[in-house]
Amino acid sequence: MTTRHSAVVGGETFEYTVTVRTFPAVDASGRRVGTCSTTTYLRDLPAGASPDARPVLFAFNGGPGAASTALHLGGLGPYRIAFPTDLSAGPLGPCPLEANPDSVFDSTDLVFIDAINTGYGAADEGADLSGVYGVEGDAACFAGVITAWLQHEGRFRSPKYVLGESYGTVRAPRVARRLLGQGMSVALNGIALLGQALNLQETVQRPTNAIGSMAALPFMAASAWYHGKSEVSASSAEEVARLAHEFATTTYISALVQGGSLSADERRKVAERLTELTGISTEHFLRSRLRIHTDEFRQLLLEDRQQELGNADARYTLPAPDLRRGEGGTDPASATLYPGFTMAAAQYFRDELGVDRELMYQQLDREASSRWTWQDPMSPHPVVGNGPVPFTIFDDSACLTGYLKANTAAHLFIGTGYYDSLTTVGMVEHLVAQNELPQERLHRFGYESGHMMYTDPGSSVRLNSDLRLFISRSVADPR
């Protein structure tokens, strides 16, 4: 299905086509198991102009098993959801689609890829999906879709980028590695990561993992400052996060590592500084070995108001549920934002793009996550029986660093929301510090928003502008 449209982006008016179609979903062994759907935006070129110089950005969300709706209609495409600036508007607030004059589409063609069993893609009848329900099979599937698209459009010579969000940041380097090797020999100009999760295992807040508590502190400090619970004097979330990071990587990590050998006076001093940063009581930190999990923090920060913070975006709040009555918990950010994505996708594909009204656009493959294989076959760590030994570390960061060594011209973009408790700004700091990423090719940005930073109007403008600059600089790189 192809339709024609016009857009005004960056003050420039141009014509473009949108094509919704499917490509074969193929696992790592080359076996077809179904289809993946794509939505492609191609800008019209002047007569006689070659598309070879026009970049193309392949974008996908995470899950695993999520469609690309959030990136597509949240802020990158030529249409976006007009999310209310009032964060308390709730899920029934009007979220109409509107033209997106800030879209990065003026600088690059866009291809949004939906995972198998999402969007308009589907598994073949009787197909065994174990070959695509895992880190490498999934990467092979997405790499296959990308190469099929490049072949169909004749765009192998164009500058090429992949952009992944959340689990998509684990997928993106693997897709890049697949494209460069495995007989495909397709090199990318850049990889963009939004809400990076590559080092999630080493920064997770296990009870005795000091690194996890260290990495979580900047998020908590920024969120406490936003809600007026911090004692830190600062003019921005960026400044608060920076101050918290400096404390976290010096005094705080030292205190956590010393543990029980830390003197009582030193312990109290650290706890008092943590209170200033996070708004959580000193006595709480003293009782909990100077630690607090982000989930606990979200429940405690506004306990006096009987509210809890959002997980995906801590700026959002809802009344705290009464767990004693079995009310259950709902993420305030997700409860507010996700209905808007569902409504927008149903409207947009049917009314604007002319997709058959009988076809349902699927947002999530609910089986993918529970059946996922996380083991990387290239990992040097052993596998025993059906899975990795308990001491194995899934070093997802190694896939990224390995690719950047193999492709010395590829640039890296990392964008993070300061109020994101899922993939925190502290995780990015740790990723950069521990992996010797090439600084001359690294583009880092923070946004005063959450996991889906484009849902904030101001952050959406900045994100598209930052991506535009990232693409232009990487295309101009003489390497």
Side-chain angles (χ1 to χ4, degrees):
M1 173 67 68
T2 298
T3 53
R4 292 195 55 77
H5 308 262
S6 65
V8 179
V9 178
E12 182 182 4
T13 302
F14 56 86
E15 305 296 313
Y16 66 94
T17 60
V18 186
T19 301
V20 181
R21 63 159 298 172
T22 60
F23 286 95
V26 178
D27 66 16
S29 68
R31 177 173 54 96
R32 175 188 162 123
V33 294
T35 57
C36 292
S37 66
T38 61
T39 305
T40 297
Y41 292 85
L42 298 179
R43 177 175 175 170
D44 287 3
L45 298 175
S50 169
D52 289 351
R54 175 85 173 154
V56 57
L57 174 67
F58 298 92
F60 38 78
N61 280 92
S68 62
T69 315
L71 286 171
H72 183 181
L73 299 178
L76 296 190
Y79 278 86
R80 67 185 176 196
I81 302 168
F83 288 107
T85 55
D86 177 6
L87 302 187
S88 64
L92 298 180
C95 295
L97 279 170
E98 63 181 10
N100 183 7
D102 307 302
S103 170
V104 72
F105 184 32
D106 64 329
S107 299
T108 179
D109 289 332
L110 298 168
V111 184
F112 296 97
I113 306 176
D114 300 315
I116 190 171
N117 280 340
T118 72
Y120 295 111
D124 289 340
E125 185 175 356
D128 177 8
L129 297 187
S130 60
V132 292
Y133 279 169
V135 290
E136 278 302 299
D138 170 80
C141 180
F142 273 72
V145 171
I146 290 172
T147 52
W149 187 96
L150 292 170
Q151 175 67 28
H152 183 267
E153 298 293 335
R155 297 290 295 275
F156 280 100
R157 293 176 61 86
S158 294
K160 295 169 287 292
Y161 301 83
V162 294
L163 182 153
E165 181 180 54
S166 198
Y167 175 78
T169 67
V170 176
R171 175 188 294 134
R174 285 185 159 79
V175 169
R177 183 171 69 182
R178 276 269 169 184
L179 288 170
L180 189 61
Q182 302 297 320
M184 296 180 182
S185 300
V186 175
L188 298 176
N189 293 72
I191 298 172
L193 310 177
L194 301 184
Q196 78 83 24
L198 287 168
N199 61 348
L200 189 59
Q201 182 168 355
E202 63 190 86
T203 57
V204 73
Q205 288 184 275
R206 292 186 297 272
T208 57
N209 182 18
I211 295 297
S213 294
M214 178 197 76
L217 187 60
F219 152 75
M220 291 188 283
S223 300
W225 174 83
Y226 177 85
H227 288 286
K229 293 290 188 176
S230 168
E231 297 177 31
V232 176
S233 176
S235 60
S236 67
E238 179 182 12
E239 183 180 357
V240 177
R242 178 181 57 80
L243 292 171
H245 174 70
E246 291 173 356
F247 177 73
T249 54
T250 53
T251 305
Y252 186 39
I253 190 65
S254 176
L256 291 173
V257 171
Q258 291 179 68
S261 63
L262 195 68
S263 72
D265 286 345
E266 290 174 312
R267 187 182 305 276
R268 178 165 287 277
K269 288 180 182 178
V270 173
E272 289 172 348
R273 180 55 177 164
L274 289 170
T275 295
E276 292 172 357
L277 289 165
T278 68
I280 303 301
S281 74
T282 299
E283 294 308 313
H284 181 93
F285 280 111
L286 291 174
R287 288 195 305 269
S288 59
R289 301 179 302 120
L290 302 179
R291 292 163 165 84
I292 184 171
H293 196 281
T294 53
D295 289 343
E296 188 179 20
F297 168 80
R298 292 188 300 104
Q299 295 167 358
L300 291 180
L301 184 69
L302 301 183
E303 190 176 31
D304 58 333
R305 307 177 198 171
Q306 296 184 316
Q307 293 180 318
E308 65 179 21
L309 311 186
N311 193 12
D313 190 331
R315 296 176 303 159
Y316 289 83
T317 64
L318 281 177
D322 187 344
L323 300 181
R324 295 168 300 179
R325 298 182 58 192
E327 288 183 344
T330 301
D331 173 33
S334 299
T336 302
L337 296 171
Y338 284 172
F341 288 120
T342 300
M343 291 186 289
Q347 173 196 345
Y348 183 68
F349 283 100
R350 183 191 67 186
D351 297 342
E352 296 291 332
L353 304 186
V355 175
D356 188 338
R357 292 175 177 235
E358 299 303 314
L359 296 177
M360 175 67 74
Y361 185 91
Q362 298 292 336
Q363 298 285 350
L364 185 66
D365 178 0
R366 298 188 178 278
E367 289 191 18
S369 183
S370 62
R371 296 175 57 186
W372 208 254
T373 299
W374 296 92
Q375 177 69 30
D376 183 344
M378 295 185 67
S379 170
H381 301 288
V383 175
V384 176
N386 293 323
V389 298
F391 313 110
T392 293
I393 296 175
F394 301 122
D395 193 355
D396 293 315
S397 305
C399 185
L400 175 64
T401 57
Y403 182 79
L404 294 174
K405 289 177 180 177
N407 183 353
T408 57
H411 283 234
L412 175 65
F413 179 107
I414 304 178
T416 310
Y418 290 112
Y419 307 121
D420 176 9
S421 82
L422 298 169
T423 55
T424 67
V425 63
M427 289 171 57
V428 177
E429 296 286 356
H430 193 63
L431 178 80
V432 173
Q434 298 301 315
N435 287 281
E436 299 181 349
L437 299 175
Q439 295 299 306
E440 71 280 5
R441 293 183 277 149
L442 175 62
H443 310 254
R444 292 177 57 192
F445 301 93
Y447 303 93
E448 297 209 14
S449 50
H451 192 59
M452 298 177 289
M453 64 282 297
Y454 39 79
T455 62
D456 175 81
S459 294
S460 181
V461 173
R462 277 199 55 214
L463 172 63
N464 280 279
S465 177
D466 294 338
L467 286 170
R468 192 176 292 112
L469 183 62
F470 162 69
I471 290 171
S472 66
R473 286 182 174 174
S474 56
V475 168
D477 193 326
R479 282 183 295 258

